[in-house]
Amino acid sequence: MGKLYLVPTPIGNLEDITFRAVRILKEVDLILAEDTRNSGKLLKHYEIKTHMQSHHMHNEHKTVEGIVQRIKNGETIALISDAGTPAISDPGFLLTRACVEAGVEVDCLPGATAFVPALVNSGFPNDKFIFEGFLPVKKGRQTRLKLLAEESRTMIFYESPHKLLKTLQHFVEYFGDDRPVSVSREITKLHEETVRGTASEVLQHYTQKPPKGEIVIIVGGKP
């Protein structure tokens, strides 16, 4: 029987990949990639010639069974996402669960993920925290925010730049305008920045300076 490797890839700076990850990607029989065009740049940079196959949120329900069978037949397969660790707000959970249920060995390599540097860099308590990922867009959003308003642990959110202002407005509304917030943008990239302050201060900053790039929001828990 083969094995499934979950391989983290850089979230920006191409140097943020482990020697082991490069070796595994060269040795496996197949690489499952969220976007083969995007991942092709990484593979070319490290001279990895392993064949790639598309595996993303729109087709994973249909392909999981076949992939598991290929591994059971002896193939070693690596799963990568566009950036970061597979299954963290990216495809990977369904395949991992299917492999575990089928008795297939799964090996997740340590590596890049956006929320850890954002959390540590915020200066907020990180002995206890919760990862929320992306908030619901419409249905369930208000209910979730009301519950999180009472959360005492540091909270971690992912957000797209064009939705950041709306989310910050909701934090002011549900958590209070003085709740501490830290927004990290473009982590490991050329224009990386972290803006810290109260919810209202950070909202004002990005109202005056529209954000760009990948965003992680850290919110202090209720005192």
Side-chain angles (χ1 to χ4, degrees):
M1 186 181 293
K3 181 190 289 189
L4 172 68
Y5 289 97
L6 304 176
V7 182
T9 53
I11 58 176
N13 192 318
L14 290 181
E15 294 179 358
D16 294 333
I17 191 168
T18 67
F19 292 119
R20 182 184 174 205
V22 172
R23 177 179 62 81
I24 292 297
L25 292 177
K26 287 182 177 180
E27 291 178 354
V28 294
D29 298 305
L30 175 68
I31 296 173
L32 300 174
E34 188 176 2
D35 185 331
T36 55
R37 293 168 299 179
N38 182 70
S39 296
K41 301 172 186 176
L42 176 69
L43 268 57
K44 182 178 180 181
H45 181 81
Y46 285 102
E47 299 181 346
I48 299 169
K49 297 179 169 50
T50 308
H51 178 67
M52 281 192 293
Q53 178 178 312
S54 185
H55 181 83
H56 48 73
M57 61 181 294
H58 302 295
N59 72 358
E60 60 180 340
H61 288 83
K62 300 177 182 178
T63 59
V64 162
E65 185 177 342
I67 293 168
V68 171
Q69 190 58 52
R70 290 179 66 169
I71 299 173
K72 292 178 75 172
N73 289 341
E75 291 188 59
T76 54
I77 295 179
L79 173 65
I80 61 176
S81 60
D82 284 348
T85 301
I88 303 297
S89 291
D90 274 324
F93 163 69
L94 290 178
L95 179 57
T96 301
R97 182 178 63 180
C99 285
V100 170
E101 291 176 347
V104 169
E105 185 177 356
V106 178
D107 191 350
C108 182
L109 278 60
T113 188
F115 79 79
V116 173
L119 171 64
V120 175
N121 202 27
S122 70
F124 297 171
N126 54 34
D127 55 330
K128 295 180 181 180
F129 58 88
I130 59 168
F131 175 74
E132 285 291 315
F134 290 95
L135 283 165
V137 178
K138 294 181 180 178
K139 186 177 180 182
R141 186 181 181 92
Q142 184 181 49
T143 302
R144 191 67 196 153
L145 286 166
K146 286 181 178 178
L147 287 171
L148 291 173
E150 302 300 316
E151 175 59 60
S152 61
R153 294 168 293 181
T154 299
M155 295 170 277
I156 304 167
F157 302 89
Y158 284 168
E159 193 52 279
S160 59
H162 68 280
K163 294 179 181 177
L164 178 62
L165 290 182
K166 177 182 177 182
T167 296
L168 290 173
Q169 288 168 350
H170 283 158
F171 288 166
V172 169
E173 179 182 350
Y174 290 94
F175 300 164
D177 58 7
D178 61 345
R179 184 69 71 94
V181 170
S182 174
V183 174
S184 290
R185 187 178 66 83
E186 293 290 82
I187 296 172
T188 78
K189 299 177 183 177
L190 181 62
H191 300 292
E192 177 178 359
E193 70 169 6
T194 294
V195 176
R196 307 174 187 85
T198 65
S200 59
E201 288 170 344
V202 176
L203 172 60
Q204 183 179 11
H205 172 86
Y206 283 111
T207 299
Q208 298 171 349
K209 185 182 178 182
K212 296 180 181 178
E214 301 294 324
I215 291 169
V216 184
I217 311 171
I218 311 297
V219 180
K222 183 179 180 179

